[in-house]
Amino acid sequence: MSGTFVGMPAFPEAAHEAVHNTTLRGNLRHATHTIRAKRANAVAEVSDWAALREAGKQIKDHTLRHLDRYLVQLEESVTAAGGTVHWAADADEANRIVTYLVKATGESEVVKVKSMATQEIGLNEALEAEGIRAYETDLAELIVQLGNDRPSHILVPAIHRNRGEIRDIFAREMSEWGRPAPEGLTDTPAELAEAARLHLREKFLRAKVGVSGANFMVAETGTLVVVESEGNGRMCLTLPETLISVVGIEKIVPTWRDLEVFLQTLPRSSTAERMNPYTSTWTGTTDDDGPQTFHLVLIDNGRTDTLADEVGRQALRCIRCSACLNVCPVYERAGGHAYGSVYPGPIGAILSPQLRGTGSEIDSSLPYASSLCGACYEVCPVAIDIPEVLVHLRERVAQGGPVTERGGKVVLKPAKGHAAERAAMRAARWAFSHPGALRAGQRLASRTRRFHPRTLPGPGRAWSASRDLPALPPEPFRDWWQRTNGGRTDGGREGTK
Amino acid sequence: MSSRDLILGRVRRALADVRQDDTPPVPEGPGRDPRYEQAVQRDYLREHGALSAAERVELLAENLADYRAIVHRTDADGLADVVAGLLRAHGSKTVLVPPGLRREWLSGTDLTRVPDRGESTAHELDRVDSVVTACALAIAETGTIVLDGSPDQGRRRITLVPDHHICVVRVPEQVVSSVPQALELLDPTRPLTWISGPSATSDIELDRVEGVHGPRTLEVVLVTGGGGQG
Ligand code: SF4
């Protein structure tokens, strides 16, 4: 899998391809709808969801607004607890640091806990180039890695694969990487999981170096938190002698107590569980228990540029629960690969163009990869107003303006050669040929009017003037959602009840 | 310039719009800084419904079972027999024992005991059939047991590598209702493991499968009158 996705086509083309892949679409629909329904129940169980969501938003906002202080405090507390802190301004620097740290142990392989940050910086490829093999140990990441594939969902990276495909990948590839798949492997999930267990256990037991990300870092105590299900996280965090955690600077919470909010909202939003099977917290090192050497690599890689944008910085509140993916009508049809980034779906559409800038075709088209239906905002446990940021970024692409890039202020020109118009047109054409996605957009747009630019900028104005856009019905999102079962029916049956 | 200074400089420039008076002092060490407390509105609940001690234990048992942990109940006198029975039923020949585990909990069995040693290799742990531990506390609302590495729970890895974990929870005294109540009692300087049911994955078509890497069987024994600290 690759963290960089060089040469990705712009979103509309990639999406166009994806919607014609019926296996992919079937797998995706099954998965997103399953999680979506379960999540609603898990959230309904806690009567104070709105208050938890608001507290989560406030904690994250507060932290971001004082990030310099909390970073320094975190560094002090991690150091005091026996860890070593490293700072990496960009992906290359982060990769250099990790490579150096691994080489210093004399090892040539590492076991990895699933982590968006290390995918973002392309760590596995960087290590490979230096002769170090990185083994992904999350089952879905293993499927992706063995399939020489890219992840397509934040939480369930192999969501686009069905059991038959997984069986074939295991039977074909496992022997290349270590213990082969058992003879006569079938496609039952239990057998596939057992094959993965045996294949990976061999690696866990001999591993000397573990690499992880973290869901949270507590500034006051220096505690890191990893939330997971399978136990592969625990294996990588406790069996190796050296642990290297690579974490984005936005993952800080100020106090231990703050975890009470996120440990309630994250599992329910992501896997729709009251609590995920395993949560590990560690503070530096502990004598005789777990790794005796701990390194924390703090990465910027575009985060401070994102922080400089007063509208866009809210994207840094994201706790990567993936709830927004599962409700997005565009993601459901286009699949995660269309977004050309390790961050797919609605959050990817606002995060990638901010972390990477809007220079490339894919990044400048991402703000258009949405119907602005607002479903992502409604489910987001930290209340990120994704539609607002999308519209803001569309304006940036179309009109240009001041932005921060690599810490310096630059003024972007409006997208050249009507690139914005092309991006918007292609997105529109794609939507028009996929009535389900469009229906969602149209009907829901009425609720998100305030997110639309007052005037369609430059080329867009001419374009919208010459097109007969369907009128926006005044129906609220929730009504529409219930009536049409999320855009899958025309609203006949549900609506007549 | 070091990357540290570069990043901190970028952060400060990025936050030029943030008003200075919005900046509370950095909280000092563990504990509550009243000014940070004011910065965040915490009107969420400390627990979801006030439960009696008995209700709390019931809810814990229900939620544990819902996540496919196997729940057993007994009192202090019956505990040794229950533990011995579970080990026997699992067909175990060896059992990992944390150094501070109460001796009488294992008095009903003569299985080979493997001590939790710092120098044991992962491969040695992999050959052990079962592990018996206490816990730091349990959370009823989420069906979670929390281990904090105390002597009656041992190192994190002993409850990870063997395939069968028996965890003894003293009820009702070790059971809290909610996540906020649990965090208040836990010590962040210790390594913590929160366990909600056995290891599980939903990565294959979202079908839940138990036991990918952690213990495939988690048995929780709720014991009344289990006495003080182990
Ligand atoms: S943007 Fe919100 S809903 Fe989407 S992954 Fe992040 S936290 Fe979850």
Side-chain angles (χ1 to χ4, degrees):
Chain A
M1 112 210 62
S2 161
T4 46
F5 304 89
V6 180
M8 271 302 289
F11 180 81
E13 278 105 65
H16 187 74
E17 234 167 74
V19 292
H20 286 285
N21 180 340
T22 49
T23 309
L24 168 88
R25 229 178 38 229
N27 295 351
L28 259 184
R29 167 167 298 188
H30 169 67
T32 56
H33 285 252
T34 307
I35 313 184
R36 195 192 289 173
K38 280 208 284 192
R39 180 193 166 276
N41 291 335
V43 166
E45 246 183 46
V46 278
S47 51
D48 57 341
W49 185 259
L52 284 166
R53 183 181 190 237
E54 180 60 25
K57 169 182 186 247
Q58 289 185 15
I59 291 168
K60 282 286 192 174
D61 268 348
H62 167 88
T63 314
L64 290 169
R65 289 166 80 86
H66 306 286
L67 191 58
D68 48 340
R69 287 160 180 268
Y70 287 119
L71 277 166
V72 170
Q73 191 190 16
L74 176 77
E75 180 184 46
E76 280 168 9
S77 48
V78 169
T79 308
T84 309
V85 177
H86 310 261
W87 302 71
D90 57 22
D92 285 347
E93 187 173 17
N95 288 333
R96 272 200 309 276
I97 293 169
V98 178
T99 307
Y100 170 83
L101 293 172
V102 176
K103 283 191 168 170
T105 65
E107 294 296 314
S108 59
E109 59 180 38
V110 303
V111 286
K112 280 191 68 209
V113 194
K114 169 173 167 333
S115 124
M116 304 299 303
T118 58
Q119 281 171 23
E120 175 191 321
I121 62 174
L123 178 64
N124 291 6
E125 293 77 11
L127 290 173
E128 194 79 53
E130 294 289 323
I132 299 163
R133 208 154 211 210
Y135 295 113
E136 292 293 347
T137 64
D138 172 80
L139 177 53
E141 288 291 352
L142 175 73
I143 295 166
V144 167
Q145 186 173 50
L146 292 177
N148 193 22
D149 194 2
R150 292 193 315 260
S152 65
H153 189 280
I154 293 177
L155 182 79
V156 208
I159 200 169
H160 57 291
R161 296 289 197 185
N162 63 30
R163 60 184 74 189
E165 296 174 292
I166 296 168
R167 191 215 79 93
D168 293 346
I169 292 170
F170 280 10
R172 198 173 60 233
E173 303 290 340
M174 270 185 172
S175 58
E176 285 292 306
W177 290 78
R179 184 175 172 139
E183 286 291 316
L185 180 67
T186 74
D187 67 358
T188 62
E191 260 192 54
L192 295 171
E194 172 72 13
R197 177 186 177 94
L198 295 170
H199 179 80
L200 286 172
R201 185 155 282 231
E202 170 198 88
K203 299 187 165 61
F204 289 131
L205 298 185
R206 68 164 190 247
K208 297 281 189 291
V209 184
V211 174
S212 81
N215 294 88
F216 307 99
M217 307 186 282
V218 182
E220 68 171 350
T221 58
T223 307
L224 270 74
V225 182
V226 163
V227 169
E228 51 129 1
S229 288
E230 294 172 7
N232 65 306
R234 293 181 64 194
M235 291 272 183
C236 297
L237 298 170
T238 56
L239 294 185
E241 291 161 7
T242 301
L243 172 61
I244 304 168
S245 298
V246 183
V247 190
I249 53 174
E250 82 284 15
K251 294 270 173 130
I252 300 184
V253 297
T255 67
W256 175 247
R257 182 188 175 187
D258 294 327
L259 295 174
E260 71 190 15
V261 174
F262 300 107
L263 290 181
Q264 293 191 79
T265 53
L266 177 56
R268 288 178 199 268
S269 290
S270 60
T271 49
E273 293 170 303
R274 291 182 196 106
M275 187 63 83
N276 47 289
Y278 295 131
T279 298
S280 299
T281 79
W282 71 99
T283 305
T285 55
T286 305
D287 285 344
D288 277 348
D289 187 353
Q292 295 301 295
T293 308
F294 170 57
H295 296 279
L296 172 60
V297 182
L298 294 170
I299 57 171
D300 178 347
N301 203 36
R303 285 161 177 76
T304 49
D305 293 346
T306 308
L307 189 65
D309 187 303
E310 289 171 43
V311 178
R313 68 166 61 127
Q314 59 183 305
L316 298 175
R317 292 204 297 260
C318 177
I319 55 173
R320 313 273 190 264
C321 72
S322 74
C324 57
L325 278 61
N326 301 326
V327 296
C328 178
V330 176
Y331 173 85
E332 181 189 321
R333 289 168 180 81
H337 291 155
Y339 294 79
S341 155
V342 297
Y343 303 107
I347 182 60
I350 62 168
L351 200 56
S352 308
Q354 295 201 84
L355 293 178
R356 306 193 294 208
T358 49
S360 72
E361 219 192 329
I362 176 80
D363 287 321
S364 62
S365 70
L366 281 176
Y368 295 91
S370 164
S371 59
L372 297 184
C373 74
C376 49
Y377 169 66
E378 297 214 352
V379 295
C380 178
V382 286
I384 299 173
D385 199 334
I386 296 177
E388 181 189 20
V389 182
L390 283 167
V391 170
H392 171 72
L393 293 174
R394 285 181 192 188
E395 281 177 339
R396 173 187 293 178
V397 169
Q399 292 177 317
V403 294
T404 304
E405 272 179 11
R406 304 189 142 252
K409 294 243 186 291
V410 293
V411 178
L412 279 188
K413 293 204 187 70
K416 258 220 188 101
H418 304 292
E421 183 188 23
R422 281 210 313 275
M425 288 273 280
R426 275 190 304 242
R429 197 179 309 128
W430 174 75
F432 281 127
S433 60
H434 300 93
L438 180 68
R439 206 161 34 238
Q442 287 166 358
R443 300 222 168 120
L444 307 175
S446 62
R447 225 178 144 270
T448 56
R449 264 182 220 282
R450 67 189 177 88
F451 303 133
H452 298 278
R454 287 160 300 282
T455 51
L456 262 182
R461 193 188 299 120
W463 173 71
S464 51
S466 66
R467 294 291 183 295
D468 196 14
L469 287 172
L472 304 179
E475 188 178 30
F477 167 64
R478 236 186 252 287
D479 304 357
W480 172 82
W481 192 267
Q482 263 154 22
R483 189 170 56 74
T484 65
N485 195 14
R488 278 167 306 137
T489 67
D490 286 317
R493 254 192 327 223
E494 282 87 344
T496 55
K497 262 195 267 183
Chain B
M1 188 170 28
S2 73
S3 293
R4 176 184 190 276
D5 295 342
L6 181 77
I7 294 171
L8 287 173
R10 284 180 181 176
V11 169
R12 286 175 188 131
R13 279 198 305 282
L15 294 171
D17 64 301
V18 175
R19 281 178 296 120
Q20 280 309 303
D21 59 343
D22 188 22
T23 306
V26 177
E28 297 282 348
R32 306 283 160 74
D33 182 288
R35 279 154 298 194
Y36 173 58
E37 291 304 295
Q38 280 161 18
V40 176
Q41 192 183 324
R42 295 180 194 268
D43 47 8
Y44 49 86
L45 303 172
R46 300 303 298 164
E47 56 183 323
H48 295 88
L51 302 178
S52 69
E55 286 167 339
R56 232 174 14 242
V57 175
E58 279 316 303
L59 184 62
L60 173 69
E62 213 177 280
N63 284 338
L64 279 167
D66 198 29
Y67 281 7
R68 308 196 196 167
I70 306 167
V71 180
H72 310 271
R73 297 162 195 252
T74 183
D75 57 15
D77 292 339
L79 182 59
D81 280 348
V82 169
V83 171
L86 296 178
L87 290 167
R88 198 165 45 241
H90 193 257
S92 297
K93 300 202 165 45
T94 50
V95 57
L96 257 163
V97 185
L101 196 80
R102 293 176 73 133
R103 289 241 199 103
E104 56 278 24
W105 290 5
L106 281 175
S107 61
T109 176
D110 53 8
L111 285 191
T112 308
R113 287 156 209 223
V114 181
D116 167 25
R117 284 203 196 92
E119 63 271 20
S120 318
T121 67
H123 284 100
E124 282 163 2
L125 294 178
D126 194 33
R127 287 193 286 272
V128 185
D129 298 319
S130 298
V131 55
V132 179
T133 71
C135 70
L137 55 80
I139 308 169
E141 286 182 8
T142 57
T144 305
I145 51 175
V146 183
L147 311 186
D148 70 359
S150 291
D152 57 358
Q153 298 150 52
R155 293 169 181 81
R156 283 173 283 176
R157 55 199 199 145
I158 68 167
T159 53
L160 172 64
V161 181
D163 204 17
H164 181 217
H165 179 195
I166 300 172
C167 182
V168 179
V169 184
R170 298 190 307 272
V171 300
E173 57 271 31
Q174 284 194 307
V175 188
V176 298
S177 285
S178 67
V179 171
Q181 291 172 348
L183 280 163
E184 229 162 52
L185 297 173
L186 292 167
D187 176 357
T189 63
R190 287 175 170 280
L192 303 178
T193 304
W194 299 44
I195 299 174
S196 309
S199 156
T201 184
S202 302
D203 281 345
I204 301 165
E205 296 185 18
L206 299 181
D207 274 358
R208 191 177 166 102
V209 179
E210 263 77 49
V212 195
H213 306 301
R216 279 179 282 201
T217 310
L218 171 66
E219 308 207 56
V220 180
V221 185
L222 306 177
V223 55
T224 50
Q229 290 299 316

